[in-house]
Amino acid sequence: MDEPDLTGQTVLVTGSGRGVGRELLLATADCGANVAVHYHTSADAARDVAETARERGADAAMTVQGDVTDPDSVDGLFSAVEAELGTVDVLVNNVGDFAPAHWADIEFETWNRVLETNLTGTYLCAKRALPAMAENEYGRIVNVGYASSEKGLVNPKNFPYFVAKAGVLMFTRMLAADTQDDGITVNAISPYVVENSNEFPAELPRDRPASFDDLVRPLLFFLDPDADYVSGQNLEVDGGWLPERV
């Protein structure tokens, strides 16, 4: 597919100092966007990503620190981006911790962190980005979900993550409906296992995890001007995974 021209647009990808967030942000840099590399604690990694983004075509690149679960911190990080790069045109909500343990063994603080980084962070960042997008009559929000969570996928292991991602996808659909007259689209990309995952199941669809490129392509589709009628959609990048198989 042809890459969309994002020249002049400001892109903020949460948690873009490493992993999936890094690759999604660099893909927008390849398209000429101005990019904000968000991090919470990994300042050095974020600086490296910003430098790489400049080398790959970003007109401007900055780093911005913030805790996406704290309203004041979210307001501060958006204000910093707006002061240097202008209002955010594209928001990718990528941050989301997980806890691969039995639900009864998860500490209360961990339970809250998983729910807050995945769902609350997505809500707070979207809420902060939307007024400027609506005023500009243009905006793209892409949330990162999890494959099959729309189907009520649950497991005693990592349960709060499944709950949070189901909430992210519900929020995606609601927000798409609520912004349909504002020139804004809201969509989601939901991988199963990605190449940088910490754990791999014994069997993988197509004998491999999703590559970063597998996630980049749907992102660029959602950001393409020709996709302006596509909103409220969740694209599962799972290789044909069927968790309910018996």
Side-chain angles (χ1 to χ4, degrees):
M1 63 175 287
D2 294 334
E3 294 181 345
D5 183 2
L6 302 181
T7 303
Q9 295 192 33
T10 296
V11 175
L12 169 62
V13 179
T14 65
S16 45
R18 58 190 54 167
V20 169
R22 176 185 188 275
E23 300 305 318
L24 296 180
L25 180 131
L26 290 177
T28 68
D30 290 338
C31 299
N34 302 317
V35 298
V37 184
H38 164 260
Y39 69 96
H40 189 195
T41 59
S42 53
D44 291 342
R47 282 192 289 269
D48 289 343
V49 176
E51 180 59 32
T52 301
R54 296 184 195 99
E55 293 171 354
R56 287 175 54 166
D59 285 341
M62 67 176 291
T63 63
V64 61
Q65 193 275 340
D67 178 357
V68 299
T69 70
D70 179 79
D72 291 336
S73 185
V74 168
D75 183 56
L77 77 89
F78 270 84
S79 295
V81 174
E82 290 163 352
E84 187 165 337
L85 302 179
T87 56
V88 174
D89 301 294
V90 175
L91 168 65
V92 180
N93 285 306
N94 167 70
V95 167
D97 290 350
F98 65 102
H102 189 279
W103 70 270
D105 297 327
I106 296 173
E107 297 291 335
F108 179 69
E109 293 77 9
T110 302
W111 176 283
N112 278 342
R113 190 186 75 243
V114 172
L115 292 173
E116 290 176 357
T117 55
N118 283 282
L119 182 53
T120 303
T122 295
Y123 146 73
L124 288 174
C125 289
K127 184 179 180 182
R128 179 59 175 79
L130 280 171
M133 290 182 175
E135 183 177 347
N136 295 334
E137 298 183 333
Y138 178 85
R140 297 288 183 267
I141 296 176
V142 179
N143 301 321
V144 176
Y146 183 74
S148 285
S149 53
E150 275 188 319
K151 304 178 181 69
L153 175 69
V154 292
N155 192 302
K157 183 177 179 180
N158 213 6
F159 178 73
Y161 183 77
F162 298 134
V163 171
K165 288 304 189 186
V168 166
L169 296 180
M170 292 175 68
F171 182 71
T172 299
R173 292 180 58 215
M174 179 280 297
L175 202 57
D178 200 37
T179 58
Q180 61 183 282
D181 299 323
D182 299 327
I184 298 165
T185 67
V186 187
N187 293 289
I189 300 169
S190 294
Y192 171 38
V193 181
V194 185
E195 63 177 88
N196 68 322
S197 296
N198 292 330
E199 293 188 354
F200 293 90
E203 295 184 9
L204 283 167
R206 303 173 192 269
D207 296 321
R208 69 172 180 86
S211 69
F212 292 136
D213 284 344
D214 291 326
L215 303 181
V216 163
R217 286 189 283 271
L219 172 68
L220 297 183
F221 167 74
F222 287 139
L223 302 188
D224 194 295
D226 291 337
D228 62 349
Y229 202 71
V230 179
S231 193
Q233 300 307 302
N234 173 40
L235 202 161
E236 295 195 348
V237 185
D238 61 8
W241 180 49
L242 193 67
E244 62 266 40
R245 182 180 60 188
V246 293

